[in-house]
Amino acid sequence: ASTWGGGSGTRRVGPMGTRAEEAGAPPERASPGNGRTILVVEDDPRVLATTLGALRELGHRPIPCDDPRKAPAMLAEHAAVGLIISDVLMPTQTGPEMIAALDPRHAHIPVLFVTGYAGEDAGGAGDAFGGHHVLRKPYTLARLESAIAAATI
């Protein structure tokens, strides 16, 4: 993978991006002072590593969580978490089940579900996801940052 300004390719986390991104222009990024502390709940180690890298590249401070059952303890340990990004389908507990089971003191934390599911609610904040924002996999860095911005307004 090349770095912005250091190579001719673009880094993609997913499919077709914007024309500017396809032309090699970097996506708009959060400045280090504006980056968020984000709990990333994903059971697939490769997807987790890729997501962590993408979030760091966008100026955020991701905290990895490889099992949704560990999320409550991770939230208790990291009080600065300002967003939870979670896969939807995981073997031990689904993302929506995890969010529903969290202590009410964490109810203020915005949630962004990430899924490859192609159902009706997969593109927006639908009832299947408790009204939380949803980002379809695969995605580009620009779409990830836009989804984070939408989820945290």
Side-chain angles (χ1 to χ4, degrees):
S2 60
T3 58
W4 295 113
S8 60
T10 60
R11 178 160 184 244
R12 292 195 186 241
V13 183
M16 302 303 290
T18 64
R19 289 196 184 266
E21 191 174 15
E22 290 168 9
E28 291 183 27
R29 299 183 199 161
S31 66
N34 294 334
R36 300 178 188 285
T37 300
I38 301 173
L39 180 65
V40 181
V41 185
E42 170 61 63
D43 64 302
D44 183 321
R46 291 174 301 174
V47 176
L48 181 59
T50 300
T51 304
L52 296 174
L55 290 169
R56 284 186 194 107
E57 189 168 333
L58 292 169
H60 300 291
R61 296 171 303 280
I63 299 167
C65 180
D66 63 1
D67 185 328
R69 297 173 300 180
K70 295 178 184 176
M74 303 280 303
L75 288 169
E77 184 179 333
H78 300 279
V81 169
L83 175 66
I84 299 169
I85 296 179
S86 177
D87 189 13
V88 172
L89 296 177
M90 295 176 278
T92 60
Q93 186 178 43
T94 69
E97 289 170 344
M98 173 195 68
I99 296 302
L102 287 178
D103 189 294
R105 67 186 166 169
H106 301 300
H108 69 282
I109 302 174
V111 175
L112 174 62
F113 287 119
V114 181
T115 183
Y117 174 69
E120 285 182 30
D121 285 335
D127 290 340
F129 300 102
H132 297 290
H133 287 267
V134 180
L135 176 62
R136 289 266 330 265
K137 293 182 206 173
Y139 51 83
T140 62
L141 286 172
R143 284 186 52 217
L144 174 60
E145 188 64 6
S146 293
I148 290 169
T152 55
I153 329 186

